[in-house]
Amino acid sequence: MQENIWDVVIVGGGPAGLTAAIYAARAGKSVLVLEKNGFGGQIAWSPRVENFPGTAAVSGAEFSDRLLGQALDLGAEADLSEATGLSREGGLWRVETPEGARLARAVILATGARHRKLGVEREDELAGSGVCYCAVCDGAFYKGRPVAVAGGGDAALQDALLLSNYCSQVYIIHRRGKFRAEEANVRALAARGNVTALMDSRVTALLGADELSGLRVENTADGSVRELYVDALFVAVGSEPDSAPFAAVAPVDGRGWFAAGEDCLSGVPGVLVAGDCRAKGVRQLTTAVGDGACAAVAACRYVDENS
């Protein structure tokens, strides 16, 4: 029995992958999207999206459903299946899954990234109910309310600066005695009257029942413990790419991000990269869908030129 061959197989069903599916399907290509967890990616967990142009407000789940529905209506296929590897076979790309290999003329890696977590008990339970991972996305929901930021790098300080514009009080909790951020960010943070830095400190417990109501914070230098009554905790301790199964084929940088530029070309013919898994400075919903469009156009061009 001959295996199906798709023009484009997309690994990852987040905004980048689904946008790529929409563009490739509209170009008349056969498209398969493989997603290992749930379609929509991280944005599906956001209670409210207010920073997508042309859409005043929508839940992350609804936005994700719309993207998936649009791709399927255009003829793309979608499977909940984990892609575990990629190799070349007879002029095609072979995408391995537990259910068997999928063959493609071109592949778009839109595998995304995952936020590093604090590893505190109930962190997953309270995600979206006070525990947040994107100040740009969710900060405005806490206008006039006290919040905390966990982290000590540039991302954490930039989150704290952003939140200080509209939150009543911002605590920034860092496990070391000195920030790892650029001095300009440190100086800017020190100038904000509503920001308090808790150094040599770590979050040990999340308080509240169905919604976060506070934190238990331990000072690692003297062992003292205090409780902070905040309505949100923004975790900014970095992110990690989901690139490992494909790093032997598509080049990655020293931190594991796919080393592709704004053109989404991996450097390997027929393999494109899109979304948060790509090495870049801004990881937002808008940049993900932009990558998806760019990668799909490049993938379709490759298919046309090599068919």
Side-chain angles (χ1 to χ4, degrees):
M1 179 177 173
Q2 186 175 2
E3 295 178 278
N4 286 338
I5 299 172
W6 284 269
D7 290 322
V8 182
V9 168
I10 300 166
V11 180
L18 291 175
T19 299
I22 290 168
Y23 271 74
R26 280 177 56 85
K29 301 297 185 280
S30 59
V31 179
L32 173 66
V33 182
L34 299 174
E35 167 58 43
K36 65 179 179 179
N37 293 319
F39 291 99
Q42 294 179 19
I43 199 65
W45 296 98
S46 179
R48 193 173 174 88
V49 178
E50 294 183 329
N51 60 353
F52 192 77
T55 303
V58 65
S59 73
E62 182 180 353
F63 182 84
S64 300
D65 286 345
R66 289 180 186 177
L67 269 183
L68 178 60
Q70 187 175 0
L72 296 177
D73 288 345
L74 288 166
E77 299 178 61
D79 281 351
L80 273 175
S81 184
E82 181 178 5
T84 57
L86 180 64
S87 60
R88 197 69 168 154
E89 180 180 290
L92 298 171
W93 287 104
R94 180 184 177 93
V95 183
E96 302 293 344
T97 79
E99 295 77 28
R102 316 299 172 90
L103 298 179
R105 294 181 173 87
V107 173
I108 297 175
L109 299 175
T111 54
R114 57 188 179 273
H115 295 290
R116 282 199 183 96
K117 298 180 180 180
L118 287 179
V120 180
E121 189 175 354
R122 301 181 64 228
E123 184 174 356
D124 289 339
E125 176 188 338
L126 291 173
S129 297
V131 174
C132 308
Y133 297 90
C134 180
V136 173
C137 308
D138 301 328
F141 301 131
Y142 297 95
K143 183 177 181 180
R145 299 158 70 182
V147 301
V149 176
D154 284 309
L157 269 66
Q158 288 165 3
D159 282 357
L161 287 167
L162 173 68
L163 293 165
S164 70
N165 291 326
Y166 37 74
C167 295
S168 60
Q169 178 68 40
V170 180
Y171 298 94
I172 183 162
I173 304 164
H174 184 40
R175 59 193 177 94
R176 295 190 174 95
K178 184 179 180 180
F179 288 122
R180 297 178 289 108
E182 293 181 2
E183 189 58 34
N185 284 328
V186 176
R187 288 197 302 269
L189 197 72
R192 299 293 174 97
N194 63 338
V195 177
T196 300
L198 303 179
M199 310 302 288
D200 293 313
S201 298
R202 65 186 187 99
V203 177
T204 58
L206 305 176
L207 309 179
D210 297 329
E211 296 277 342
L212 184 77
S213 63
L215 311 171
R216 188 167 294 123
V217 180
E218 178 190 12
N219 184 297
T220 57
D222 60 21
S224 62
V225 177
R226 63 182 294 185
E227 291 187 353
L228 294 179
Y229 295 99
V230 296
D231 291 335
L233 170 65
F234 290 85
V235 179
V237 293
S239 57
E240 302 169 322
D242 277 330
S243 61
F246 315 101
V249 176
V252 297
D253 66 13
R255 298 175 58 198
W257 304 100
F258 288 118
E262 297 294 330
D263 58 9
C264 296
L265 302 178
S266 71
V268 178
V271 178
L272 297 305
V273 175
D276 287 358
C277 58
R278 186 172 70 79
K280 56 181 179 176
V282 178
R283 292 184 172 89
Q284 289 288 299
L285 179 57
T286 48
T287 63
V289 298
D291 275 9
C294 183
V297 170
C300 292
R301 184 184 304 119
Y302 175 84
V303 171
D304 290 341
E305 292 174 351
N306 291 274
S307 295

